[in-house]
């Protein structure tokens, strides 16, 4: 459905459940996170349940969202507040300034960002007559909204602002000495739809019936708004992951429905927008010396059993995990919901999630390791996906002859298949269409225990790193796509609960 389609689906659900009553509701709608191909440890349970390295027991993104938005409802008219599950908005306003969602149409928060950040986000073209750029919080009318624009488009459309000094730009870069004029754009995060506009969208959804394409709540709703909006974007499908035949038509219908609707923008000049939707961002914000880590006071060890509390970890993050004395965790790595034995060493900047490692092994640097419980023919089994944190799981090719361009931990996929004695054929991929990629490659072995699954997948990786053979021909193999369709969430939560109980027990012992 895409996050736009799912928004419409939720509106219909609310009406079915509550009839006309829903028009008096203040609704918080969080998109819990689609396939999460850029952060696959969040794929099985959803990005909104990503653990954050603080709290006792640990908080998830959901609690963080509720805490961040706790003041909004009392300054809000009935309507729907829409947010993603992989971003964090931190801001400060004056004592007398409040963020109020009470205008007709759409109201969006805007944050000052580098131009480079603007190319991967939504960018507002603000009405210069209503905007000074000097206040901490300003209510501004917006001429139009650009979705993931290039530098030239931002400049031509008047989105680029020059500010006296932008110390709080959303990036990790340094912006030179104080007092320097710097360019910025105002990028999107959360937005509010008043209830009469939400009603219009619901009527549209009922008329369309079944959606035949993915709709984006940001690109497809917001680009239709403001006096400067034009329908050109309806034909531009360059930023779409999956281009469906009906997309252009649905966009044009949405454009004519929403055209002329106001887009109000609340500019938060003292704000910071953080995105945690990729493995690189996740490692940077949780395990490096990031500004977010400092601002939220993220912990190196959050609700975990760690053998030597006196030995401070070098820029890494242990979240609800049990680590045995003797194990070594490299700098900049994140371990979550895992049990790590005494003879395990984890390299630097790696991610280990939901795994049980009770054997002797060296996990290389920049390794992504995440285990999933699956239920096949009513039997619970285990599969562990392993990649490099830099591997592109979204990349696809159309022909079998092109799979050499797919990279797995620095080697081409055909090289890996040779080492694993797997034949490159159409049966290798689980996708029904011709999109062949690491996401749909059936290369991960199904095992009867969690630790065996981790051991086997690490042997696969080891064979690629040392260019030595490791036969996978005896195993049932799944793609990541299939793991998610067979996932057994209950079993995964049971493993997390065992870790939780053990940590509580250990703490009681320590107290007594």
């Amino acid at each position: 459905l895409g996050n736009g389609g799912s928004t419409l689906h939720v509106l219909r659900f609310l009406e079915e459940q509550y009839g006309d009553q829903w028009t008096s509701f203040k609704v918080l709608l969080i998109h819990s996170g689609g396939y999460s191909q850029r952060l696959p440890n969040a794929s099985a349970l959803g990005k909104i349940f990503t653990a954050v390295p603080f709290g006792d027991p640990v908080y998830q993104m959901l609690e963080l969202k509720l805490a961040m938005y706790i003041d909004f409802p009392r300054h809000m008219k009935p309507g729907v507040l829409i947010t993603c599950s992989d971003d964090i908005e931190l801001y400060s306003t004056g004592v007398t300034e409040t963020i109020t969602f009470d205008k007709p149409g759409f109201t969006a928060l805007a944050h000052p960002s580098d131009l480079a950040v603007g190319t991967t986000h939504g960018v507002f073209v603000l009405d210069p007559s209503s905007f000074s750029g000097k206040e901490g919080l300003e209510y501004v009318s917006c001429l139009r909204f650009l979705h993931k624009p290039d530098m030239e488009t931002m400049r031509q459309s008047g989105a680029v602002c020059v500010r006296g000094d932008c110390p709080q730009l959303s990036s990790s870069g340094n912006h030179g000495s104080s007092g320097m004029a710097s360019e910025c754009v105002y990028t999107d995060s959360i937005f509010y739809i008043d209830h009469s506009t939400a009603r219009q969208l619901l009527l549209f959804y009922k008329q369309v019936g079944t959606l035949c394409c993915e709709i984006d709540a940001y690109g497809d709703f917001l680009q239709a708004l403001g006096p400067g909006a034009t329908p050109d974007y309806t034909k531009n499908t360059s930023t779409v992951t999956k281009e469906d035949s009906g997309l252009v038509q649905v966009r044009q219908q949405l454009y004519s429905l929403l055209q002329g609707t106001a887009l109000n923008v609340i500019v938060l000049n003292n704000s910071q927008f953080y995105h945690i939707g990729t493995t690189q961002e996740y490692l940077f914000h949780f395990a490096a010396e990031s500004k977010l880590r400092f601002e939220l006071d993220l912990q190196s060890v959050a609700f975990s059993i760690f053998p030597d509390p006196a030995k401070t970890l070098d820029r890494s993050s242990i979240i609800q995990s049990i680590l045995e004395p003797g194990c070594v965790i490299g700098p900049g790595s994140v371990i979550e919901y895992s049990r790590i034995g005494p003879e395990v060493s984890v390299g630097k900047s790696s991610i280990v999630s939901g795994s049980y490692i009770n054997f002797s092994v060296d996990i290389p640097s920049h390794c992504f390791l995440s285990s999933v419980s699956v239920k096949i023919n009513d039997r619970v089994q285990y599969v562990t996906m392993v990649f490099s944190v830099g591997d592109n799981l979204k990349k696809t090719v159309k022909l079998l002859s092109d799979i050499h361009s797919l990279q797995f931990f620095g080697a081409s996929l055909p090289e890996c298949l040779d080492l694993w004695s797997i034949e490159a054929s159409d049966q290798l991929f689980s996708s029904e269409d011709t999109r062949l990629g690491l996401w749909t490659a059936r290369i991960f072995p199904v095992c009867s225990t969690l630790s065996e699954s981790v051991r086997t997948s690490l042997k696969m990786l080891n064979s690629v790193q040392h260019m030595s053979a490791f036969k996978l021909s005896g195993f049932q193999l799944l793609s990541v796509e299939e793991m998610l369709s067979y996932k057994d969430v209950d079993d995964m939560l049971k493993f997390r609960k065992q870790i939780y109980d053990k940590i509580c027990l250990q703490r009681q012992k320590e107290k007594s």
Side-chain angles (χ1 to χ4, degrees):
L1 285 171
N3 56 25
S6 61
T7 299
L8 300 174
H9 180 73
V10 165
L11 296 179
R12 189 172 66 185
F13 175 82
L14 286 172
E15 192 187 57
E16 283 169 1
Q17 291 288 106
Y18 300 102
D20 281 346
Q21 231 185 322
W22 81 274
T23 56
S24 64
F25 289 176
K26 297 169 184 180
V27 178
L28 172 61
L29 195 161
I30 309 176
H31 295 121
S32 61
Y35 296 124
S36 192
Q37 288 173 297
R38 295 179 302 167
L39 188 64
N41 52 316
S43 294
L45 288 140
K47 283 182 190 172
I48 193 61
F49 303 112
T50 301
V52 185
F54 75 106
D56 190 66
V58 290
Y59 292 123
Q60 296 176 323
M61 282 297 284
L62 179 58
E63 282 95 355
L64 197 54
K65 288 266 161 190
L66 295 175
M68 284 189 297
Y69 306 152
I70 199 163
D71 291 331
F72 290 170
R74 71 180 116 161
H75 305 293
M76 181 176 170
K77 281 190 172 170
V80 184
L81 187 71
I82 294 175
T83 180
C84 289
S85 50
D86 58 4
D87 56 46
I88 294 170
E89 302 86 21
L90 300 180
Y91 56 88
S92 74
T93 55
V95 182
T96 55
E97 296 174 321
T98 53
I99 292 176
T100 308
F101 299 104
D102 61 354
K103 294 185 172 65
F106 286 70
T107 304
L109 297 189
H111 313 271
S113 300
D114 281 3
L115 270 60
V117 172
T119 60
T120 56
H121 288 265
V123 172
F124 300 103
V125 181
L126 303 174
D127 179 357
S129 65
S130 65
F131 172 58
S132 74
K134 294 181 174 65
E135 307 294 323
L137 181 150
E138 289 186 72
Y139 289 84
V140 183
S141 58
C142 181
L143 301 176
R144 60 184 291 213
F145 175 85
L146 310 170
H147 188 56
K148 300 183 180 176
D150 55 32
M151 296 282 188
E152 196 185 342
T153 308
M154 287 190 275
R155 291 190 189 285
Q156 282 176 348
S157 58
V160 179
C161 303
V162 176
R163 304 188 45 194
D165 184 25
C166 289
Q168 64 276 45
L169 287 190
S170 309
S171 93
S172 50
N174 179 13
H175 294 280
S177 61
S178 172
M180 290 273 288
S182 56
E183 290 185 321
C184 71
V185 287
Y186 284 90
T187 52
D188 63 341
S189 60
I190 69 176
F191 66 90
Y192 159 87
I193 311 175
D194 78 314
H195 91 80
S196 67
T197 309
R199 227 183 165 133
Q200 270 182 290
L201 285 166
L202 176 60
L203 284 171
F204 163 79
Y205 187 45
K206 286 175 176 171
Q207 283 158 6
V208 170
T210 308
L211 282 177
C212 55
C213 57
E214 285 190 17
I215 302 177
D216 182 48
Y218 293 80
D220 297 339
F221 293 171
L222 301 184
Q223 280 187 109
L225 310 175
T230 67
D232 303 352
Y233 74 90
T234 58
K235 295 187 178 68
N236 174 14
T237 53
S238 60
T239 56
V240 178
T241 37
K242 188 176 174 184
E243 195 179 325
D244 299 292
S245 54
L247 181 62
V248 173
Q249 190 192 349
V250 172
R251 275 183 175 176
Q252 285 167 342
Q253 289 171 310
L254 276 167
Y255 176 76
S256 50
L257 173 81
L258 294 171
Q259 196 190 358
T261 306
L263 175 54
N264 312 291
V265 173
I266 303 174
V267 171
L268 296 169
N269 278 312
N270 301 323
S271 71
Q272 194 92 12
F273 171 93
Y274 296 99
H275 188 250
I276 308 183
T278 70
T279 50
Q280 267 85 359
E281 289 168 337
Y282 179 84
L283 287 168
F284 174 70
H285 290 306
F286 285 2
E289 292 305 314
S290 77
K291 203 170 166 211
L292 176 70
R293 190 174 167 128
F294 168 74
E295 286 183 332
L296 286 182
D297 195 20
L298 301 181
Q299 301 157 349
S300 290
V301 180
F303 192 69
S304 294
I305 296 177
F306 187 63
D308 188 358
K311 195 176 94 182
T312 49
L313 279 166
D314 182 20
R315 297 194 324 278
S316 41
S317 190
I318 313 296
I319 307 167
Q320 196 169 320
S321 294
I322 298 170
L323 278 65
E324 307 259 349
C327 73
V328 179
I329 308 298
S333 288
V334 178
I335 313 291
E336 61 159 16
Y337 300 119
S338 294
R339 298 188 62 167
I340 310 281
E343 296 171 38
V344 178
S345 84
V346 178
K348 60 174 198 259
S349 303
S350 290
I351 296 170
V352 177
S353 175
S355 298
Y356 180 33
I357 314 176
N358 59 349
F359 48 90
S360 172
V361 69
D362 292 336
I363 295 172
S365 294
H366 311 291
C367 176
F368 175 89
L369 183 83
S370 179
S371 304
V372 178
S373 307
V374 292
K375 201 174 220 175
I376 302 170
N377 301 328
D378 276 341
R379 182 167 159 231
V380 178
Q381 298 183 82
Y382 302 89
V383 197
T384 298
M385 59 180 105
V386 63
F387 295 105
S388 155
V389 290
D391 285 345
N392 184 353
L393 272 61
K394 276 193 157 184
K395 182 175 177 172
T396 59
V397 294
K398 288 195 169 136
L399 302 168
L400 209 53
S401 54
D402 292 334
I403 63 166
H404 58 83
S405 69
L406 300 171
Q407 293 275 311
F408 175 91
F409 231 104
S412 76
L413 187 57
E415 282 179 288
C416 301
L417 297 174
D418 282 348
L419 294 169
W420 302 328
S421 308
I422 299 177
E423 193 189 335
S425 68
D426 289 332
Q427 279 66 54
L428 174 65
F429 296 92
S430 58
S431 59
E432 290 184 5
D433 50 21
T434 53
R435 292 211 313 279
L436 318 176
L438 291 183
W439 188 257
T440 56
R442 293 184 167 122
I443 53 176
F444 296 111
V446 180
C447 298
S448 55
T449 68
L450 183 52
S451 76
E452 197 50 45
S453 141
V454 177
R455 189 197 293 261
T456 311
S457 291
L458 285 172
K459 282 180 182 170
M460 275 173 72
L461 174 57
N462 186 55
S463 86
V464 172
Q465 287 200 295
H466 296 97
M467 286 293 154
S468 57
F470 175 63
K471 274 195 174 164
L472 283 177
S473 38
F475 292 93
Q476 179 185 358
L477 302 173
L478 295 184
S479 66
V480 182
E481 181 181 60
E482 287 174 318
M483 285 183 210
L484 298 181
S485 62
Y486 291 123
K487 69 181 178 184
D488 186 336
V489 170
D490 288 343
D491 192 72
M492 293 174 76
L493 293 177
K494 195 169 93 181
F495 179 63
R496 290 185 179 190
K497 179 80 166 68
Q498 285 168 355
I499 293 174
Y500 176 91
D501 291 343
K502 207 167 168 74
I503 292 168
C504 292
L505 196 67
Q506 173 82 6
R507 292 191 164 187
Q508 277 173 334
K509 276 186 195 164
E510 283 168 7
K511 271 184 190 163
S512 59

